[in-house]
Amino acid sequence: MTSTDTAPSDSRVALITGASGGIGKAVAERLAAEGYAVAVHYAGNQQKAETLAAAITAAGGRAIAVGGDVADETAMAAAFDAAESAFGGVDVVVNAAGIMILSPIASLDLDDLDRMHRTNIRGTFVVSQLAANRVRAGGAIVNVSTSVTRTQLPSYGGYVASKAAVEGLGLILARELRGRDITVNTVAPGPTATALFLEGKSEELIEQLAGMNPMNRLGEPEDIAETVAFLAGPARWVNGQTIFTNGGMA
């Protein structure tokens, strides 16, 4: 299969990590609406993942819930196995699982740093490594970073360090997959109205962050899912890129 005869979306299969909520959930819903069979991955919230998979199935789509720690290669290999067993293969992998703990660098608890790096760096690496060996020709790997790698907001140091590593990983993997007809890209959302982002923030701070782009609002998970869907399917000539999806935030 070449980039000119990529399979239609109704025959494609996507595995989305962190799909029980936030951006991952919106991606699963968007790809399912476009005809993809989706493996809805969860780490800790099985009920939410199963509810989403059931809702997609009830609407006429194809979905299963798959669990596992993204940083555990055995658990994630089993998640790929489940998707392949249910749907015949995997064409698209979206690394949406992530955690964010904010603190000035000078006072960040190193255990918190290790937690972020285990999920955000090792988790993305483990899933990307599996994807590199198992995604079918014509497929796509989409990682999720953050626009804060460019805006340098205080208190985001540990989180940005982990996400900058995600961007670097994608750049290299895209080139290592030469000849495989698999694209690798990274989406870097700006402030987006998810539980991960909103937790612990005052209304004043949220309003301030929403005003950082000329659209004068927070992004919605569906805004990010739109870009992911583009990279997952029709964007065959976009490869090895980081797409800042933030409404024009400087």
Side-chain angles (χ1 to χ4, degrees):
M1 180 179 291
T2 69
S3 58
T4 58
D5 61 357
T6 299
S9 59
D10 62 2
S11 65
R12 285 164 76 79
V13 179
L15 189 160
I16 304 110
T17 71
S20 62
I23 289 171
K25 178 176 182 287
V27 169
E29 291 172 332
R30 174 63 181 259
L31 294 183
E34 294 193 0
Y36 288 73
V38 294
V40 178
H41 166 268
Y42 64 90
N45 204 321
Q46 181 176 356
Q47 183 176 358
K48 280 189 175 180
E50 290 181 345
T51 298
L52 176 57
I56 289 170
T57 302
R62 297 171 295 153
I64 59 169
V66 296
D69 175 0
V70 288
D72 182 332
E73 62 272 28
T74 302
M76 292 314 299
F80 275 80
D81 289 344
E84 291 173 350
S85 177
F87 305 124
V90 175
D91 303 286
V92 173
V93 172
V94 181
N95 277 301
I99 61 173
M100 177 173 65
I101 302 169
L102 302 183
S103 169
I105 292 169
S107 56
L108 177 62
D109 187 298
L110 293 181
D111 287 341
D112 287 340
L113 180 69
D114 288 344
R115 284 177 57 210
M116 283 192 288
H117 283 205
R118 176 175 171 80
T119 297
N120 298 354
I121 298 178
R122 181 184 168 94
T124 300
F125 194 100
V126 164
V127 175
S128 294
Q129 185 177 70
L130 287 162
N133 286 289
R134 299 177 72 159
V135 166
R136 295 185 288 204
I141 300 168
V142 183
N143 297 325
V144 177
S145 178
T146 173
S147 287
V148 188
T149 56
R150 190 165 65 175
T151 57
Q152 301 100 38
L153 293 176
S155 80
Y156 282 79
Y159 179 66
V160 163
S162 71
K163 289 301 191 177
V166 168
E167 292 181 17
L169 170 65
L171 291 173
I172 301 299
L173 183 57
R175 286 148 182 86
E176 289 182 345
L177 294 180
R178 175 184 293 272
R180 295 274 306 281
D181 192 25
I182 298 170
T183 62
V184 185
N185 291 289
T186 302
V187 176
T192 304
T194 65
L196 177 71
F197 171 78
L198 295 172
E199 182 179 1
K201 293 183 173 68
S202 67
E203 287 296 324
E204 181 182 12
L205 178 57
I206 291 169
E207 189 172 321
Q208 177 186 343
L209 292 169
M212 292 178 67
N213 69 74
M215 311 298 283
N216 285 318
R217 67 172 177 86
L218 294 178
E220 296 293 336
E222 294 76 16
D223 294 320
I224 313 307
E226 181 177 44
T227 300
V228 173
F230 174 63
L231 295 172
R236 302 309 301 164
W237 199 235
V238 182
N239 191 24
Q241 305 301 313
T242 297
I243 310 297
F244 289 86
T245 307
N246 57 29
M249 184 174 71

